[in-house]
Amino acid sequence: MADENTQDIAHAEDQAPEAAVQEAAPDREAMTAEKPALSDEERLQGLEPDKLRKMMYDMLLARRFEEKVAEAYALGKIGGFCHLYIGQEAVAVGAIHAQTPDDYVMTAYREHVHALQCGVTPGAVMAELYGRADGCSKGKGGSMHMFDAEKNYLGGHGIVGGQIPLALGVAWKIKYRQEERVIQVYCGEAAVNQGAFHESLNMAALWKVPMILIVENNRFGMGTAWERASSLYDIYQKATAYAMPSAVADGMDVLDMYRVTKEAVDRARAGGGPTLIEARTYRFVGHSMSDPVSGVYRTKEDVEKEKGNDPIRIFADLLARQNILSQEELEQMDEEVKRVSEESADFAEKSPEPAVDELYTEIYATEDVNGRLYFDGRR
Amino acid sequence: MAVITYREALNQALAEEMERDPDVFLMGEEVGVYNGAYKVSKGLLEKFGEMRVVDTPITELGFAGLGVGAAMTGVRPVIEFMTWNFAILAFDQIFNSAAKMRSMSGGQFKMPITFRGPTGAALQLAAQHSQALESQVAHYPGVKVVVPGTPADAKGLLKAAIRDDDPVCVFEGEMLYNLKGEVPEDDDFIIPLGVADLKRQGSDVSIITHGKMIHVALQAAAQLEKNGIDAEVLDLRSLRPLDTDAILATVAKTNRVVLLEEGWAFGGITATIAALIQEEAFDHLDAPVLRVTQADVPMPYAKAMERAAKPSVEMVIQKVNQVLYR
Ligand SMILES: Cc1ncc(C[n+]2csc(CCOP(=O)(O)OP(=O)(O)O)c2C)c(N)n1
């Protein structure tokens, strides 16, 4: 059997001909040009220094944690598909800071950072990646299926677009029980073409449920540039078909993410219903660990150019300019998150493998009530 | 005969059929610029251009339905699903439209469409990406279902599927793409749908299976031989139409049967074959028919658990010993 063949999705064994690389997409600057340029002070308004430092910490942790993940993956400690978030950190960090731990978050398979941001411990995230018993899904979910009910983290979902109706259901429940919560649900831009997206938007707007749908437009669905997949470039405009408020956010700017999301969260809490947010961002890494950073569908130059917009650098510069976090403090923080990431790997390393007997647990709520539940002859 | 991979065999089948018939086109996610998620369509875009090798958005229901409509009106689409796991979104189009079009139109419409993509578990892809779904698709009258297990079968069956006037679903082994084997070069090398293949002759017990699992069965047979047990391995190759003659013949020959499939037991292919054998060959049996399937649970991520959930050579050997009362 061809066991070595498993990591094939998104492996690009060869360089595509030059012609296959698409024309670069419209600039991020051009796309967000309609927005008024804000001064540093305006951008920081309402945000305490402690919160700003925490945002910085969270973005740095996200980056260092995932670098550690990449290392562990290369060593064969993590299996299956593994999709990193490097480059997109400002999106989840900025948006999740705009709500409270009582609110919900749900996302797709590129989810390690969303889990961390919801307060799932780095150890539990790493142990899940290692497939260990202390993982947040007890080793059964892996990279794509992390869950933490206590942290209101409703998980990683592997079918493109499949999580959006689920989030609609959570938003429905919130309204049904008359709670003051909201749910943020994330998807990639490619998910926007699925019927599930459109059906959900219609119902969300029709019933004014507190759902904030954040489309992380990193411009590529695997190897397909967005302009090759959608008849309309501007995703936020899709909401107009459902009479739903929408906005574009600069997904490389944690403060813009925060501000735009906060507005949507406040509106949802006040009974104003759902919002669609298009976060324009970029992934600095391949689609998954087996996909090269550049080559087949984007050039090395494109990626290098975008790396000039590193969300961590952009935010660090602003905090330094405003004397909120010095370069020295930033470096200290960086040491700290590296240590936390290291420790998470140690924790995962020490966590036991789940017992094979656990195969049949957590499938049903009750065990064989009036008959057999399992039909493979092994039980 | 040339020795090529399963992936190359499929690629040859596509290229030859597209060459032969201008009505044949390939459509799916990443099939063009990216050369296919599993590189099955490598080079085809360059050769046939973007009207015939079409990259789609991630809209399984949409592009499967597009294929069905196109096939109704005369062309011969080949629809690639990145994996059958994602084809679940398109099942309405396959089951409610493609499978029933001829029947519900009183025979007015042909449905010359091929749906294809990988099936089954790879390594540690967890619950939503590790499913062998052929039993579900084969449930519906109106579709044909083939599951090639070797490079030659892959080529011959895919070519037959593309030439067929009914909807044919081709389930390729996600772990088989790099498997090498001898493949005939003849442009008209076709393996008719509905013909099983005895992959190994034997006299003591029949192991009946399909797809990737034929390799598990063959490994089990090789080990059993060392213990003096001579196992026959029947590769169904096609689930609909099902070669019932070949099944009944092997049962009549060995009188003992172990059924093996990668999918779940409940409502599985093996469930259907077990029923068939007891209905039509009961008198030939010297032991109850036993089956080996994947554990009846969603596939877990952790390595050891995943291994335990998949059907294994050891499980097959154990069931063979059981039907031989060893
Ligand atoms: C229904 C479905 N079709 C195909 C896939 C395979 N697949 C996984 S990720 C992906 C690209 C999705 O891109 P996008 O939604 O933009 O998210 P990103 O990966 O950029 O975060 C594809 C095609 C899938 N998981 N589900």
Side-chain angles (χ1 to χ4, degrees):
Chain A
M1 294 248 298
D3 267 17
E4 68 279 11
N5 186 35
T6 54
Q7 298 305 320
D8 244 351
I9 272 212
H11 91 154
E13 48 196 344
D14 49 329
Q15 303 283 308
E18 263 311 297
V21 175
Q22 290 298 300
E23 296 262 307
D27 274 357
R28 190 176 57 92
E29 292 77 17
M31 293 186 297
T32 41
E34 304 119 56
K35 288 200 180 190
L38 300 179
S39 67
D40 281 358
E41 288 72 17
E42 285 168 314
R43 300 176 64 205
L44 293 170
Q45 207 186 10
L47 285 162
E48 298 300 321
D50 276 353
K51 178 142 178 154
L52 292 164
R53 283 192 286 265
K54 180 69 170 56
M55 284 173 150
M56 188 69 234
Y57 177 92
D58 289 342
M59 287 217 284
L60 265 184
L61 174 63
R63 177 72 55 93
R64 297 305 186 194
F65 180 87
E66 289 220 311
E67 286 169 357
K68 190 73 205 166
V69 171
E71 198 183 303
Y73 193 89
L75 293 172
K77 304 213 179 254
I78 295 170
F81 293 151
C82 184
H83 312 83
L84 299 184
Y85 200 61
I86 292 176
Q88 301 184 212
E89 294 91 345
V91 181
V93 173
I96 296 174
H97 267 280
Q99 62 179 32
T100 75
D102 202 35
D103 298 318
Y104 297 99
V105 170
M106 187 185 281
T107 186
Y109 45 83
R110 196 180 299 284
E111 58 155 340
H112 313 155
V113 174
H114 303 80
L116 291 174
Q117 197 54 41
C118 287
V120 188
T121 64
V125 175
M126 194 64 92
E128 190 56 39
L129 289 163
Y130 275 55
R132 300 298 168 93
D134 296 305
C136 55
S137 300
K138 300 188 188 168
K140 288 189 176 179
S143 170
M144 297 190 285
H145 310 300
M146 299 185 169
F147 293 86
D148 191 330
E150 266 178 33
K151 306 281 189 224
N152 294 316
Y153 179 59
L154 304 182
H157 300 264
I159 303 301
V160 168
Q163 72 277 22
I164 308 171
L166 308 185
L168 172 68
V170 178
W172 171 264
K173 184 259 351 191
I174 295 170
K175 185 165 173 166
Y176 188 80
R177 293 238 179 108
Q178 301 183 356
E179 296 169 345
E180 279 180 6
R181 304 156 115 178
V182 303
I183 176 163
Q184 281 183 17
V185 55
Y186 293 79
C187 67
E189 82 289 340
V192 166
N193 292 318
Q194 288 283 26
F197 170 90
H198 294 277
E199 295 175 31
S200 303
L201 248 63
N202 181 53
M203 285 184 270
L206 182 66
W207 296 324
K208 282 208 173 344
V209 295
M211 176 172 96
I212 294 140
L213 174 52
I214 298 175
V215 179
E216 303 201 40
N217 182 1
N218 64 14
R219 296 204 219 153
F220 296 96
M222 249 179 92
T224 303
W226 177 238
E227 52 274 31
R228 295 182 61 231
S230 177
S231 59
L232 174 73
Y233 194 91
D234 295 315
I235 292 164
Y236 72 95
Q237 287 185 9
K238 302 217 181 211
T240 56
Y242 305 100
M244 184 193 285
S246 71
V248 188
D250 183 345
M252 303 311 251
D253 177 352
V254 70
L255 294 178
D256 199 48
M257 275 315 303
Y258 174 84
R259 196 179 55 74
V260 171
T261 313
K262 185 77 171 50
E263 212 173 280
V265 168
D266 291 347
R267 177 167 49 241
R269 276 202 222 289
T275 303
L276 173 71
I277 297 172
E278 177 183 355
R280 288 183 171 164
T281 181
Y282 201 82
R283 69 171 149 71
F284 295 164
V285 289
H287 167 70
S288 68
M289 285 302 294
S290 44
D291 182 41
V293 174
S294 61
V296 179
Y297 57 87
R298 59 183 188 182
T299 63
K300 202 170 158 206
E301 292 70 40
D302 288 341
V303 180
E304 284 311 314
K305 176 170 167 265
E306 292 299 330
K307 279 187 176 171
N309 277 323
D310 190 317
I312 292 181
R313 192 70 258 158
I314 291 173
F315 192 42
D317 287 349
L318 182 138
L319 295 183
R321 246 187 346 258
Q322 295 298 315
N323 297 320
I324 297 166
L325 191 75
S326 67
Q327 180 64 26
E328 202 179 19
E329 288 167 311
L330 180 73
E331 279 164 23
Q332 269 169 20
M333 201 180 259
D334 198 30
E335 288 309 314
E336 165 74 8
V337 295
K338 280 185 187 158
R339 191 179 54 74
V340 170
S341 304
E342 241 5 280
E343 281 170 7
S344 74
D346 293 342
F347 175 79
E349 202 77 56
K350 291 197 189 97
S351 172
E353 303 264 358
V356 170
D357 299 352
E358 294 289 313
L359 199 53
Y360 291 88
T361 62
E362 287 128 9
I363 312 286
Y364 295 100
T366 50
E367 292 287 309
D368 303 26
V369 231
N370 287 318
R372 282 167 67 189
L373 285 173
Y374 300 100
F375 286 83
D376 54 21
R378 301 192 210 174
R379 282 214 128 196
Chain B
M1 264 190 283
V3 173
I4 58 173
T5 62
Y6 187 95
R7 166 189 288 117
E8 286 159 347
L10 292 163
N11 181 277
Q12 274 185 8
L14 287 167
E16 288 173 13
E17 292 308 301
M18 290 177 77
E19 199 76 66
R20 193 181 63 84
D21 182 351
D23 278 340
V24 176
F25 66 94
L26 175 69
M27 182 177 264
E29 290 156 16
E30 310 286 356
V31 297
V33 172
Y34 207 73
N35 275 320
Y38 289 87
K39 305 294 171 232
V40 170
S41 55
K42 189 168 170 183
L44 297 183
L45 173 64
E46 218 169 313
K47 207 161 177 182
F48 297 103
E50 49 187 36
M51 277 311 284
R52 298 188 67 198
V53 180
V54 189
D55 279 327
T56 64
I58 307 179
T59 52
E60 282 79 4
L61 179 145
F63 67 76
L66 181 160
V68 175
M72 267 180 97
T73 47
V75 288
R76 309 187 83 85
V78 177
I79 301 295
E80 172 172 315
F81 293 117
M82 193 176 279
T83 76
W84 276 97
N85 295 289
F86 314 144
I88 296 174
L89 281 86
F91 276 4
D92 175 60
Q93 298 297 334
I94 302 173
F95 300 160
N96 271 327
S97 295
K100 295 163 185 165
M101 202 64 75
R102 177 184 291 268
S103 155
M104 66 191 181
S105 69
Q108 296 179 73
F109 290 99
K110 291 196 292 189
M111 192 45 64
I113 188 169
T114 303
F115 299 103
R116 47 158 292 268
T119 183
L123 283 181
Q124 288 194 272
L125 299 188
Q128 294 184 326
H129 283 73
S130 310
Q131 308 175 90
L133 295 169
E134 50 267 26
S135 64
Q136 261 120 110
V137 179
H139 185 65
Y140 286 81
V143 292
K144 294 176 178 171
V145 176
V146 296
V147 195
T150 65
D153 289 350
K155 182 169 177 187
L157 288 169
L158 179 54
K159 284 170 72 83
I162 295 171
R163 295 188 192 187
D164 200 274
D165 278 343
D166 288 318
V168 184
C169 300
V170 183
F171 285 81
E172 300 159 9
E174 182 156 340
M175 300 286 283
L176 295 181
Y177 285 120
N178 284 339
L179 183 78
K180 286 195 170 156
E182 289 195 340
V183 177
E185 272 140 299
D186 169 15
D187 271 3
D188 282 321
F189 166 60
I190 295 281
I191 295 176
L193 308 181
V195 180
D197 186 35
L198 261 191
K199 288 281 192 283
R200 187 184 199 277
Q201 305 263 1
S203 54
D204 294 335
V205 57
S206 303
I207 305 171
I208 304 176
T209 187
H210 67 265
K212 179 170 97 181
M213 288 296 123
I214 65 168
H215 303 285
V216 172
L218 289 169
Q219 279 174 40
Q223 290 194 29
L224 286 162
E225 192 177 68
K226 291 182 200 146
N227 299 332
I229 296 168
D230 187 19
E232 178 146 300
V233 175
L234 181 68
D235 175 6
L236 296 169
R237 291 202 295 206
S238 169
L239 303 176
R240 243 187 207 276
L242 184 66
D243 192 345
T244 52
D245 288 352
I247 294 172
L248 298 176
T250 187
V251 177
K253 180 176 170 192
T254 67
N255 315 116
R256 293 166 201 273
V257 184
V258 171
L259 304 173
L260 166 63
E261 78 176 301
E262 187 181 1
W264 291 298
F266 199 111
I269 298 297
T270 48
T272 302
I273 297 172
L276 171 89
I277 293 172
Q278 84 84 26
E279 282 165 4
E280 299 189 20
F282 186 71
D283 290 344
H284 287 294
L285 289 177
D286 286 344
V289 174
L290 296 183
R291 348 189 241 157
V292 178
T293 64
Q294 90 149 84
D296 198 12
V297 302
M299 188 64 84
Y301 165 77
K303 214 185 237 169
M305 252 192 235
E306 185 195 49
R307 197 180 307 118
K310 292 181 185 179
S312 67
V313 172
E314 293 68 39
M315 289 173 203
V316 175
I317 291 173
Q318 193 229 320
K319 295 292 180 192
V320 166
N321 283 324
Q322 217 174 317
V323 297
L324 284 160
Y325 300 116
R326 289 251 185 150

